[in-house]
């Protein structure tokens, strides 16, 4: 009997990532750690990568922590060599590492500001892809999920360099989807809106209008007038990482409470 696409996609929830090896950068941040845990809960063997000195959120039997500087090619190469020696080729790469950088119009930023944010948000995504893709090509399969943002889709006054980096990630994802599709590799971007994270809470606490007014200003006009939770992003990544999305590449998954709809 020939298995149909529908039958092939019918997996038990516990098996959605069974047998897969996943690498998650920014794995000790709120969104990265939620993603790593969910992939592991669904059967993946997960390597959580983040900067040295960044504390891990918790312990999971299928998650191993690694220190890496995604802006340093030698650090990336050494880590991937270690991972491939231990687990074989990577099935799923989630590029979740990212920073916002200082607020202010373009003319107020420094060259150092520019270099730091582009190094982490763009160069880091490219380096991880550059060194993991060869293994995916060898096995003729793989899924890469790059964290962009709603600010990779829209403009804004406060953090133009951040917008520029996330727009670059969006188009790098599309270009890589076009380049690697013939090798069975899918590349998609995910675009979170305002999220309930430590970074967001710090911004609210430092706001000169008070936390309540800050959040009302931030998400009050959304069709769903609240912040998202990290696991709501993680479930989007789970879909793109799993075989359920095997005909999805070069796409943008926007999870923003409707921010970009109004």
């Amino acid at each position: 009997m020939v298995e149909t696409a529908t039958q092939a996609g019918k997996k038990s929830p516990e098996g959605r990532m069974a047998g897969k090896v996943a690498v998650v950068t920014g794995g000790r941040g709120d969104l990265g750690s939620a993603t790593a845990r969910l992939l592991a809960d669904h059967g993946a063997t997960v390597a959580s990568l983040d900067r040295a000195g960044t504390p891990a959120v918790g312990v999971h039997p299928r998650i191993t922590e690694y220190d890496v500087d995604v802006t340093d090619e030698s650090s990336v190469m050494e880590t991937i060599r270690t991972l491939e020696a231990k687990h074989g080729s990577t099935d799923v790469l989630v590029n979740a590492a990212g920073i916002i950088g200082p607020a202010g119009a373009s003319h107020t930023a420094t060259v150092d500001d520019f270099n730091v944010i582009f190094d982490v948000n763009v160069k880091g995504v490219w380096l991880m892809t550059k060194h993991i893709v060869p293994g995916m090509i060898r096995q003729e399969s793989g899924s890469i999920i790059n964290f962009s943002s709603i600010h990779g889709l829209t403009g804004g006054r406060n953090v133009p360099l951040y917008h520029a980096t996330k727009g670059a990630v969006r188009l790098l994802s599309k270009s890589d989807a076009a380049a690697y599709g013939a090798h069975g590799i899918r590349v998609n971007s995910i675009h979170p809106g305002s999220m309930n994270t430590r970074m967001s809470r710090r911004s609210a606490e430092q706001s000169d209008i008070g936390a309540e007014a800050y959040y009302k200003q931030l998400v009050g006009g959304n069709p769903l007038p609240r912040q998202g939770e990290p696991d709501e992003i993680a479930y989007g990544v789970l879909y793109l990482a799993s075989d359920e999305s095997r005909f999805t590449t070069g796409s943008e998954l926007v999870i923003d409470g409707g921010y970009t709809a109004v």
Side-chain angles (χ1 to χ4, degrees):
M1 177 181 175
V2 177
E3 184 180 48
T4 67
T6 301
Q7 290 166 333
K10 289 183 177 178
K11 307 288 185 183
S12 67
E14 295 77 16
R16 295 175 74 180
M17 295 295 295
K20 293 186 183 293
V21 175
V23 174
V24 180
T25 70
R28 297 171 199 158
D30 290 304
L31 301 185
S33 62
T35 294
R37 284 195 307 272
L38 189 63
L39 295 178
D41 286 344
H42 283 264
T45 298
V46 179
S48 171
L49 279 52
D50 216 317
R51 294 174 299 174
T54 306
V57 175
V59 176
H60 192 291
R62 281 196 290 270
I63 298 176
T64 305
E65 300 286 342
Y66 295 87
D67 293 335
V68 65
D69 179 355
V70 297
T71 72
D72 184 295
E73 186 167 25
S74 62
S75 177
V76 170
M77 290 174 66
E78 180 180 353
T79 302
I80 292 171
R81 277 198 298 266
T82 299
L83 294 177
E84 291 187 344
K86 185 174 183 180
H87 303 296
S89 296
T90 299
D91 298 295
V92 176
L93 169 61
V94 182
N95 282 307
I99 59 174
I100 292 180
S106 287
H107 75 282
T108 68
T110 67
V111 170
D112 284 344
D113 293 335
F114 182 97
N115 289 338
V116 168
I117 192 167
F118 269 84
D119 270 1
V120 176
N121 291 4
V122 183
K123 182 182 176 183
V125 171
W126 169 69
L127 279 176
M128 290 297 301
T129 300
K130 171 182 170 64
H131 291 289
I132 279 183
V133 151
M136 292 181 169
I137 290 174
R138 286 193 297 270
Q139 68 185 12
E140 297 187 335
S141 66
S143 176
I144 299 173
I145 301 103
N146 295 326
F147 271 56
S148 181
S149 165
I150 52 172
H151 298 311
L153 301 169
T154 65
R157 298 182 182 89
N158 292 334
V159 281
L161 294 183
Y162 178 75
H163 287 249
T165 63
K166 292 305 183 178
V169 168
R170 170 179 172 262
L171 287 181
L172 178 62
S173 302
K174 289 183 178 297
S175 297
D176 285 348
Y180 299 126
H183 299 285
I185 300 167
R186 300 181 294 105
V187 187
N188 296 284
S189 56
I190 194 161
H191 298 256
S194 179
M195 305 303 298
N196 179 20
T197 62
R198 286 169 286 181
M199 186 181 298
S200 175
R201 290 191 291 275
R202 281 196 299 271
S203 297
E205 291 163 3
Q206 294 167 4
S207 170
D208 56 7
I209 61 175
E212 185 176 350
Y214 173 86
Y215 285 121
K216 185 174 182 180
Q217 184 181 83
L218 192 66
V219 298
N222 287 4
L224 302 179
R226 65 171 176 86
Q227 287 190 303
E229 297 297 330
D231 69 329
E232 292 173 312
I233 301 301
Y235 273 104
V237 175
L238 176 62
Y239 167 69
L240 292 173
S242 75
D243 292 338
E244 295 158 16
S245 61
R246 59 194 174 278
F247 196 55
T248 302
T249 195
S251 72
E252 302 154 349
L253 179 55
V254 181
I255 306 176
D256 69 348
Y259 174 89
T260 54
V262 295

